[in-house]
């Protein structure tokens, strides 16, 4: 059986998501259902995008814009200083920056991921359909994080069959 195109599917609780600045896949979750279910899974709406509440962290963040990532690089630098006596703290960001994704510098070390969503909601929803006063999210929707991450839906969470 062929999998449905993501643009034609709705997103449900426990769908797989990915952040281009994160270290691993994660999940979008509902703490409480809106009362609408697809194949026994609670449906996600446009406003189900709160960091740490709906968006489970991605284990780490490689964005050089994230102060926790910069802090991690400085901790590594401090450990090098303590172990070798060499000080390269002033150059630490240049040493750890290893590229860019779009306009965001990335680092070869990762800081703590605390999703800080700046989007007002998931950007692709089904018009003319409402769940608890909100529009349901389509599988091609994205969110943006304050630290430059783009969060995409990998699998909508709907069981096959």
């Amino acid at each position: 059986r062929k999998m449905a195109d993501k643009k034609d599917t709705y997103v449900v609780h426990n769908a797989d998501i990915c952040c281009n600045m994160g270290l691993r896949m994660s999940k979008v979750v509902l703490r409480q259902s809106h009362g609408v279910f697809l194949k026994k899974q609670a449906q996600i709406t446009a406003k189900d995008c709160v960091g740490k509440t709906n968006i489970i962290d991605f284990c780490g963040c490689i964005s050089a814009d994230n102060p926790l990532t910069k802090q991690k690089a400085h901790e590594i630098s401090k450990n090098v200083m303590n172990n070798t006596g060499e000080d390269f703290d002033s150059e630490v960001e240049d040493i750890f920056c290893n590229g860019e994704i779009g306009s965001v510098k990335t680092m070869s070390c990762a800081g703590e991921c605390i999703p800080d969503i700046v989007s007002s909601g998931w950007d692709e929803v089904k018009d003319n359909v409402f769940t608890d006063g909100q529009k349901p999210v389509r599988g091609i929707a994205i969110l943006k994080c304050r630290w430059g991450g783009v969060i995409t839906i990998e699998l909508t969470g709907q069981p096959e069959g």
Side-chain angles (χ1 to χ4, degrees):
R1 180 178 158 156
K2 188 177 179 237
M3 202 181 203
D5 191 327
K6 281 200 301 186
K7 73 176 171 29
D8 297 326
T9 58
Y10 294 123
V11 179
V12 297
H13 168 73
N14 213 30
D16 290 324
I17 56 176
C18 183
C19 176
N20 64 337
M21 294 293 158
L23 294 184
R24 66 164 166 82
M25 298 269 285
S26 188
K27 301 281 186 182
V28 58
V29 298
L30 283 178
R31 303 296 179 188
Q32 184 174 349
S33 164
H34 300 290
V36 175
F37 294 82
L38 297 173
K39 298 180 183 176
K40 299 182 182 179
Q41 294 290 325
Q43 194 169 30
I44 300 290
T45 68
K47 297 295 182 190
D48 296 325
C49 62
V50 179
K52 292 178 83 172
T53 297
N54 303 119
I55 308 301
I56 304 301
D57 74 78
F58 298 91
C59 190
C61 178
I62 61 169
S63 171
D65 289 346
N66 184 339
L68 296 174
T69 305
K70 286 182 185 178
Q71 178 184 339
K72 190 57 150 179
H74 288 286
E75 286 172 18
I76 293 168
S77 172
K78 190 174 180 181
N79 285 341
V80 168
M81 171 76 169
N82 291 340
N83 292 329
T84 68
E86 295 182 26
D87 179 14
F88 66 93
D89 196 52
S90 60
E91 301 168 32
V92 74
E93 195 168 325
D94 290 336
I95 289 168
F96 285 105
C97 281
N98 64 352
E100 285 192 22
I101 295 178
S103 62
V104 181
K105 279 185 179 179
T106 62
M107 298 181 84
S108 57
C109 68
E112 184 180 356
C113 169
I114 300 174
D116 189 355
I117 307 304
V118 294
S119 302
S120 60
W122 289 98
D123 72 339
E124 288 286 339
V125 294
K126 179 70 174 171
D127 287 326
N128 305 320
V129 175
F130 291 90
T131 299
D132 204 19
Q134 294 293 322
K135 295 178 180 179
V137 175
R138 295 169 55 207
I140 57 172
I142 66 166
L143 287 175
K144 294 195 176 173
C145 177
R146 167 167 298 179
W147 313 121
V150 177
I151 298 167
T152 55
I153 297 159
E154 296 301 305
L155 293 171
T156 62
Q158 288 192 42
E160 289 296 305

